[in-house]
Amino acid sequence: MTDKKEPVLACVDGSRSSEAVTDYAVWAADALSAPLTFLHAISNPHAPSKTDLSGNMTLGGREKLLEEMVELEEKRGRLERERGRALLADVMSRARDRGFSSPDELLRNGDITQVILDLEKSMQMLVLGKQGKEGDAVAMHVGSHLAGILSMIHKPTLVTPLEFQRPESFLIAYDGSPTAYKLVEMAARTPLLQGLPVHILMVGEEKQGNWDKLQVANTRLQKAGFDTQVAIRQGKVDRAVSGYIDEKGIDLLAMGAYGHSPIRYLVLGSTTTKMIMKAKVPLLVVR
């Protein structure tokens, strides 16, 4: 996370996640003293039709059909843009109601993953919902673009649940890897988490080596002024982390996205979906 006044970029798509994304984005932008930009991407409304018009149709018939299809594409594109502008107006109004006076907006055309990657260099942090528009139809379904975005983006990403709750504490899932320690360093420096009690959890065997690794992270965060607790739990990582969150009433989970440990596969592998689905709190992912 940088000290530049790059914006927090919040992705909204009109799904049930959009309100929580808005509220968490306002919280993050306030904490970081950063600008806030809401992004909505529409899916290529002007793409030319690739429908095969050959066959038994006459030349005149094909031309008429093509004209009608072009008109339909133009109408669909216009409606998509109008819907996007209305959605952005709604979330910006909600942000103002929550005290953020000057949010900005972006309406882009293209695949949401590519749009985000194109904007990555000009953002400070990304906020998006764990359940996108497609996922609204299926209970506990994770947004279809989420895994791809998390695997490619290098900026800190906050994945939000469906309901907002102001974070009053956070948990670092720690494995002693360089990436995990990078997360500790980020937590120690960023204004986003300043003042929040932090729990540092390792999932693994209770042995001195693991306690020593935890102590390194604990010492760094205590020096930064954090009130800390450390713990080791055994079992499957997703269950251990989720159980600890419930037991301690944690409000936010911070994890490194890459490393050579089971923690890595919470974000990159098949366990990712389980962890995101189970977590009732926002997930801050850092690479």
Side-chain angles (χ1 to χ4, degrees):
M1 202 166 293
T2 70
D3 295 328
K4 296 180 181 178
K5 296 301 181 183
E6 297 164 330
V8 170
L9 186 70
C11 300
V12 291
D13 62 0
S15 70
R16 289 187 297 153
S17 293
S18 294
E19 291 186 352
V21 167
T22 301
D23 294 350
Y24 276 109
V26 168
W27 168 76
D30 278 340
L32 294 167
S33 299
L36 171 59
T37 300
F38 290 102
L39 168 69
H40 177 64
I42 54 179
S43 181
N44 197 21
H46 297 300
S49 172
K50 296 181 180 178
T51 303
D52 182 5
L53 299 178
S54 64
N56 296 325
M57 296 183 65
T58 64
L59 177 61
R62 289 199 299 270
E63 289 179 347
K64 184 175 187 302
L65 179 58
L66 182 59
E67 289 175 358
E68 291 176 350
M69 295 180 72
V70 169
E71 290 176 1
L72 286 174
E73 282 297 317
E74 290 176 345
K75 182 177 181 181
R76 186 174 74 88
R78 184 170 64 255
L79 292 174
E80 287 285 344
R81 291 193 298 276
E82 290 176 358
R83 176 185 174 278
R85 283 191 283 269
L87 170 62
L88 288 168
D90 286 345
V91 296
M92 291 178 67
S93 175
R94 185 180 179 91
R96 293 189 189 96
D97 288 344
R98 279 146 183 76
F100 200 94
S101 60
S102 55
D104 204 352
E105 61 181 335
L106 277 177
L107 181 64
R108 290 293 176 90
N109 180 18
D111 174 77
I112 183 61
T113 302
Q114 188 57 53
V115 170
I116 288 171
L117 292 177
D118 290 344
L119 295 169
E120 182 177 6
K121 290 183 179 179
S122 60
M123 75 174 79
Q124 179 171 171
M125 181 179 177
L126 177 67
V127 183
L128 74 170
K130 74 173 183 179
Q131 194 167 333
K133 184 179 178 182
E134 293 85 356
D136 281 353
V138 184
M140 299 301 285
H141 179 86
V142 173
S144 57
H145 297 286
L146 182 55
I149 293 169
L150 288 177
S151 68
M152 289 186 278
I153 194 166
H154 291 75
K155 292 296 178 70
T157 301
L158 187 65
V159 182
T160 74
L162 293 176
E163 302 290 338
F164 174 75
Q165 180 171 324
R166 177 175 290 277
E168 301 292 345
S169 63
F170 70 103
L171 168 67
I172 291 179
Y174 189 74
D175 60 12
S177 69
T179 302
Y181 190 74
K182 180 181 177 182
L183 172 62
V184 170
E185 282 288 342
M186 186 280 289
R189 295 193 307 270
T190 179
L192 183 70
L193 303 172
Q194 286 295 314
L196 301 182
V198 55
H199 297 247
I200 312 166
L201 174 66
M202 178 175 286
V203 180
E205 186 178 351
E206 283 206 46
K207 58 183 181 181
Q208 189 58 47
N210 283 340
W211 284 113
D212 291 343
K213 292 176 181 176
L214 280 173
Q215 189 56 40
V216 173
N218 190 46
T219 299
R220 177 67 184 93
L221 289 169
Q222 285 185 338
K223 285 183 177 178
F226 283 91
D227 179 11
T228 65
Q229 294 187 41
V230 297
I232 295 177
R233 295 294 167 85
Q234 298 182 9
K236 291 187 176 181
V237 177
D238 58 325
R239 293 180 183 177
V241 173
S242 295
Y244 190 90
I245 289 172
D246 291 340
E247 175 188 334
K248 300 295 183 179
I250 303 294
D251 297 317
L252 184 149
L253 169 62
M255 299 176 58
Y258 287 94
H260 297 287
S261 76
I263 294 294
R264 169 187 182 185
Y265 297 103
L266 283 177
V267 177
L268 298 179
S270 61
T271 314
T272 305
T273 301
K274 294 180 182 177
M275 189 68 241
I276 295 173
M277 282 165 39
K278 284 184 177 179
K280 301 173 185 175
V281 300
L283 182 69
L284 179 62
V285 181
V286 177
R287 285 182 66 182

